[in-house]
Amino acid sequence: MNLAPIAVALDAPDLETAARWATLVTPHVSTVKVGLELYLRYGPDVVASVRGATGVQVFLDLKLHDIPATVAGAARAVSRLKPAYLTVHAVGGASMIRAAAEAAPNTKIAAVTVLTSLAEDDLTSIGLAGPALDAVRRLSALAVEAGAQALVCSPIEAAAVRAEVGPEVTLITPGVRPRGAATQDQARVATPEEALA
């Protein structure tokens, strides 16, 4: 059976719920995502708990962003958990991304381009030259050149990013919502059908 190329976010209030959700979805999807809140609440044990006996890929979404030596140390520390993906912020720069990739060679470093919670006006206020699509494309090229094997971008930008970096890089698109669903704190969103297209 082919598993859907979907990373289910285990944004649960407690470890037991996250592990139960993981058990329910792993027969159908390729990956489960452990975010910063769950990881900080339960520590490294959360990865083993959600992976269970299934061996599902774990996407460790910690969004590391610090000086290269610190990010390398953090990436090395979590690489023992064998996550399939580990996120870093692309705005941390090429040296930081390279440090993470070298410190965790068996994990795909996924560079977060522009958070999907940021709208066009937000880019100006934080000093990032926009529009968002241009910023995402620039950061994508920088990250891949520095060793990132995956990129996190809005589904709205996926086609342009694919054209920028080619077919070998994995694109991860948060901000995917069914039509009519609340966008919560996401600004640049798409439906599942639009994201896959």
Side-chain angles (χ1 to χ4, degrees), residues 59 61 85-91 97 108-114 116 135-155 157-174:
F59 168 19
D61 190 18
Y85 300 93
L86 172 66
T87 52
V88 302
H89 273 291
V91 294
I97 296 165
K108 287 186 178 182
I109 298 301
V112 177
T113 56
V114 175
T116 53
V136 167
R137 287 173 57 203
R138 283 193 316 273
L139 289 167
S140 295
L142 174 144
V144 170
E145 179 69 23
Q149 295 175 288
L151 296 164
V152 181
C153 62
S154 160
E157 297 131 10
V161 170
R162 176 63 69 215
E164 184 76 33
V165 301
E168 300 304 312
V169 177
T170 301
L171 301 186
I172 301 168
T173 57

